Amino acid sequence: MAVEHPAPTLPGDQTRIHNIGYRSYDGPRLGRSYARRSLYSQSLRGAYGLGRSVKSKVLPMLLFVVMCVPAAIMVAVAVATKATALPVEYTRYAIVMQAVISLYVASQAPQSVSRDLRFKTVPLYFSRPIETADYVRAKFAALASALFVLTAAPLLVLYVGALLAKLDFADQTKGFAQGLVSVTLLSLLFAGLGLVVAAVTPRRGFGIAAVIAVLTISYGAVSTLQAIADAQGSTGATRWIGLFSPITLIDGVQSAFLGASSAFPGGIGPSTGEGVVYVLAALGLIVASYGLLMRRYRKVGL
């Protein structure tokens, strides 16, 4: 009869099976809305370097200060000289400071999306519970909100200063409201364009250069063409040329419907009928930017 022998034990074999107490999660499920809000909040804070290194805070905070300081100086002058009006209209302030706004978009749009693309973390966002639309909406809304803070803060400084200077309350309130409408549209448009350009490349440096090219070079080209057309007496052409640059597009909308003075050559902005085209073009670009972002992230999220 065969005798079974136990398997030999190797010297030093300390194999053990431990029960480390893993348990299934039975707490509340916060779902997509909570994840979407968290992504929005994190992206908005990141646009000003909050929750990040000191180095990341320098540029956005510096640009915020640069946006507000001229407004504070104007207010101080108006109060000291007892002026009857502010030196700059509420609707004109963002147009005057468009270079600072463009630099902010160029620095923060790539920061918002390029790292996720470069390190291929986008599919992790879409694993659960959020979807492509949640990611795009959160990023779009966060950058637009950051831009609104950047552009609306100096308008608030102007408004408070105007009231301290005892300027007409009704006129200042109306101008302030018109300025807020203008910068809201500007924030949505610039955020959409900046994110689309930045989402094309995972390299942040390339994204910064591309955003600057779209926002700044287009403005320079359009301004040059408008000046040439005006010199040749083609006033009507200058108004249509303004459709091809984001900042002149905003200028045309507010000069047509918000009572703003135009920066176009000769100070002649679009008529009401032409202004409708400007509004449709601005809204179309915003919608198109959202659609292009959705298409981009459906691919990279696979």
Side-chain angles (χ1 to χ4, degrees), residues 245-287:
S245 166
I247 196 67
T248 54
L249 195 59
I250 297 298
D251 189 306
V253 171
Q254 65 182 22
S255 62
F257 297 107
L258 299 177
S261 58
S262 178
F264 288 6
I268 303 174
S271 63
T272 302
E274 293 166 342
V276 172
V277 179
Y278 271 73
V279 171
L280 293 177
L283 295 178
L285 281 174
I286 293 170
V287 173

Side-chain angles (χ1 to χ4, degrees), residues 4-299:
E4 295 182 359
H5 296 281
T9 302
L10 297 177
D13 183 8
Q14 300 296 324
T15 302
R16 297 287 188 275
I17 297 176
H18 297 279
N19 179 7
I20 59 178
Y22 282 128
R23 294 184 301 173
S24 60
Y25 177 74
D26 56 2
R29 302 286 179 176
L30 300 177
R32 286 175 57 188
S33 60
Y34 177 81
R36 187 167 53 243
R37 290 195 303 271
S38 298
L39 182 58
Y40 166 80
S41 174
Q42 181 267 337
S43 300
L44 178 57
R45 286 167 52 83
Y48 284 96
L50 302 178
R52 300 174 61 206
S53 64
V54 175
K55 182 180 178 181
S56 300
K57 296 179 176 67
V58 173
L59 183 58
M61 292 299 183
L62 178 62
L63 293 176
F64 181 83
V65 172
V66 170
M67 282 292 293
C68 292
V69 166
I73 294 174
M74 293 177 191
V75 164
V77 171
V79 172
T81 60
K82 297 182 181 180
T84 57
L86 291 173
V88 175
E89 299 173 352
Y90 294 97
T91 49
R92 291 285 304 147
Y93 193 86
I95 304 297
V96 173
M97 303 294 290
Q98 59 90 17
V100 179
I101 299 171
S102 297
L103 183 58
Y104 180 86
V105 177
S107 65
Q108 298 309 311
Q111 183 275 137
S112 180
V113 296
S114 294
R115 289 184 302 172
D116 291 342
L117 294 170
R118 182 178 181 181
F119 297 110
K120 303 184 186 302
T121 58
V122 175
L124 300 179
Y125 284 104
F126 300 156
S127 60
R128 77 171 81 178
I130 69 172
E131 298 180 357
T132 304
D134 300 317
Y135 181 90
V136 171
R137 289 169 190 165
K139 291 292 184 178
F140 200 136
L143 186 56
S145 299
L147 275 169
F148 181 78
V149 171
L150 181 76
T151 53
L155 301 187
L156 181 60
V157 173
L158 288 175
Y159 180 63
V160 173
L163 297 183
L164 292 175
K166 298 181 180 180
L167 301 183
D168 186 75
F169 176 80
D171 288 344
Q172 297 305 314
T173 301
K174 179 181 178 181
F176 179 58
Q178 291 172 334
L180 290 181
V181 172
S182 176
V183 297
T184 298
L185 182 62
L186 182 147
S187 299
L188 290 170
L189 179 59
F190 275 47
L193 294 175
L195 288 174
V196 167
V197 174
V200 172
T201 173
R203 296 289 181 179
R204 184 180 179 186
F206 293 156
I208 292 173
V211 174
I212 290 176
V214 169
L215 298 181
T216 304
I217 296 180
S218 65
Y219 173 71
V222 166
S223 298
T224 301
L225 291 174
Q226 285 181 321
I228 294 173
D230 183 65
Q232 294 178 347
S234 301
T235 306
T238 62
R239 299 195 291 269
W240 293 114
I241 293 172
L243 289 168
F244 297 95
S245 166
I247 196 67
T248 54
L249 195 59
I250 297 298
D251 189 306
V253 171
Q254 65 182 22
S255 62
F257 297 107
L258 299 177
S261 58
S262 178
F264 288 6
I268 303 174
S271 63
T272 302
E274 293 166 342
V276 172
V277 179
Y278 271 73
V279 171
L280 293 177
L283 295 178
L285 281 174
I286 293 170
V287 173
S289 297
Y290 177 78
L292 289 173
L293 285 171
M294 288 290 294
R295 182 178 180 180
R296 169 64 170 156
Y297 281 97
R298 284 196 184 101
K299 294 180 178 180

